[in-house]
Amino acid sequence: MGVDVFFVISGFLITGIILSEIERGQFTIVGFYERRIRRIFPALFATMIVGLAVGSFLLLPSDLEDLGSQAVSMTLFVSNFHFANTSGYFDGASELKPLLHTWSLAVEEQFYILFPLALVVLDRFAKKRKARFIFLFLIGSFVHSIWAVEADPIAAFYLAPSRIWELMIGALLATGSVPPIRSHRFRNIASTAGLVMIAWSVLTFSSSTPFPGKAALIPCLGTALIVHAGTSGETMVSRILSLRPLVFVGLISYSLYLWHWIILVFFRQYFATLHLAGSATAVALAISVVISVLSWRFVERLFRDRQRISRRPIFIGGAAAMAVTLGAASSIVSRDGFPERFDAVVVEFAATESDASDDDLAEDVFTRLIGAKGAPVQTFVFWGDSHADALSGAVSKAAAEANQSGLHATMTGCAPLLGVYRDYARRKARAIQCREFNDAVLRAILADDSLQTVIIAARWALASEGRRYKNESAREILINDDASSEVSLAENKAVFIRGLDRTLHALKKAGRKIVIVGPVPEPGFHVPRSLAMRERIEGEREVALPYDEFLVRQDFVLRILDDFAGEYDAMLILPHEALCDRSRCLVERDGYSVYSDEHHISRKGAAGIYRIFKPIFE
């Protein structure tokens, strides 16, 4: 909500300044960008340069390389494009991206590239219709935002076309076209209502709320009410916001915005967790406040003082800061995050990834050929989501030893549950995609009589429970089908049972041999990073998954899979029997990480348990 509030205020303040200068005949593009550089550059580039320096000591190679990429994109003020393009399924949690918060600053600066010129043109050729044109742009961007939230939610969140309307709300207020509120009583009502709208948004919106779109209208209009009521006269809210502690927070707010996130991320990286303990969070925020006060006092105020630093040094210094940051960040990226900083064992743990299979590509819904190379006929199908994809190397190796070949059909996030929609943050396109994919896989299986064995695998617990595990940071997953009375977490288990029953029934009716692969244990923490940081700090930090925690998480799934295996005469393969003993489940073996992230088994991890799949091909 802070971003939306910020955009409205920014649009109001900056537009007001520009219009005032135009009215007095004092506006110049050079003067405008001088103010922007004085306001934005010093604290921003201080944050990035210090961040790169600290990251060079603290961060693991891939994380440092990612920080370098982020710094390059932010130096060019296109970090919102960078994050929009790197927000895929396997691109890491947003809580571990040190410069993620700069996307909003990039959007703002992109807006102010053309907007001042547009105001000059409007003042010259359509002076009395400025507000009308601003309103039309506002409506156009808002309509686009509503559309984009459904069509391309990541782009809708990060890119300017879906956000410009928020700045335009503030700009519209600055034109003076909205009549002032004369009544003191109504000003208080308006400002209080605005505060309630913002608070309601903060308290009720969640990661499942499609955003920005219609939802963002509530905090934006709330901010507009507070701003407009306050500029019309004194209000109770404006008096509260005028209290000295809150004014001081406002003074350091830009530095606090820049510093708090990168410090929190560094703490998360050090402790290898997305969710810091309360004490660690308190320390991180305290450090953020102290550094922000110093940044405001000795960086921001210094460069805003025109008596001490004139225009020419400002532009030269801004260009120099960009050049230094680009050079340092590009060097980090080109050297892959300087892995030579660490011992080989740290690098080995940190480099564990979900490697692509070496198997040949297949056609249609089948993504790859797996198993024995050159086999004339494919006799099996391995069907599932990204957990199945992670296990495909193990299945492929077991099949190859039996001189058998098969097909691989997986789609990220789509468990092989026929007739089931995955309601991904209530976005219809994603929900339909899963059902259509699974229907297509079944049709392809039934159309080829040589495909006599069907192996299904998925992250069953997520589908049935709907909740992520432990320290994972992502949306809840709601599933539904045509028999659902509602879309809710409470409905997930019933939908899961019906969907799995449909799948097994269809395969059994077609005379196929069915193999169900049980759940891979979910550590719930980023295993490679945790193992690497354990070696990095040479501490006694324990990295393990207790077996009893695995049983609690998978209790429902294990019971349902066992029941269905008996009902449909299916073979049940249980990966945890190869990964766990009665005390804990393995997360490392022979110097490598068994997992590539919080829950996907790594390529080496899968290879280490391939023997459990050999009975399928006997």
Side-chain angles (χ1 to χ4, degrees), residues 10-41:
S10 174
F12 173 75
L13 293 176
I14 303 302
T15 303
I17 292 171
I18 294 172
L19 291 178
S20 177
E21 289 186 344
I22 290 174
E23 191 70 28
R24 300 194 307 269
Q26 297 175 342
F27 178 78
T28 65
I29 292 296
V30 172
F32 174 79
Y33 284 114
E34 178 193 348
R35 285 197 305 271
R36 296 305 294 169
I37 292 173
R38 287 183 186 274
R39 177 74 177 98
I40 300 300
F41 275 39

Side-chain angles (χ1 to χ4, degrees), residues 383 415-423 431-440 442 479-484 494-504 506:
W383 176 15
L417 304 172
L418 290 174
V420 170
Y421 300 99
R422 171 169 162 150
D423 198 344
I432 295 170
Q433 188 179 23
C434 274
R435 178 164 179 166
E436 290 179 342
F437 170 75
N438 285 327
D439 287 346
L442 180 65
I479 59 175
N480 63 94
D481 59 15
D482 294 338
S484 297
V495 177
F496 172 79
I497 291 172
R498 291 196 294 267
L500 185 58
D501 189 43
R502 289 189 202 100
T503 302
L504 299 176

Side-chain angles (χ1 to χ4, degrees), residues 509-527:
K509 183 179 179 182
R512 300 305 195 257
K513 173 184 176 182
I514 303 171
V515 181
I516 304 172
V517 180
V520 170
E522 303 165 279
F525 55 87
H526 198 284
V527 177

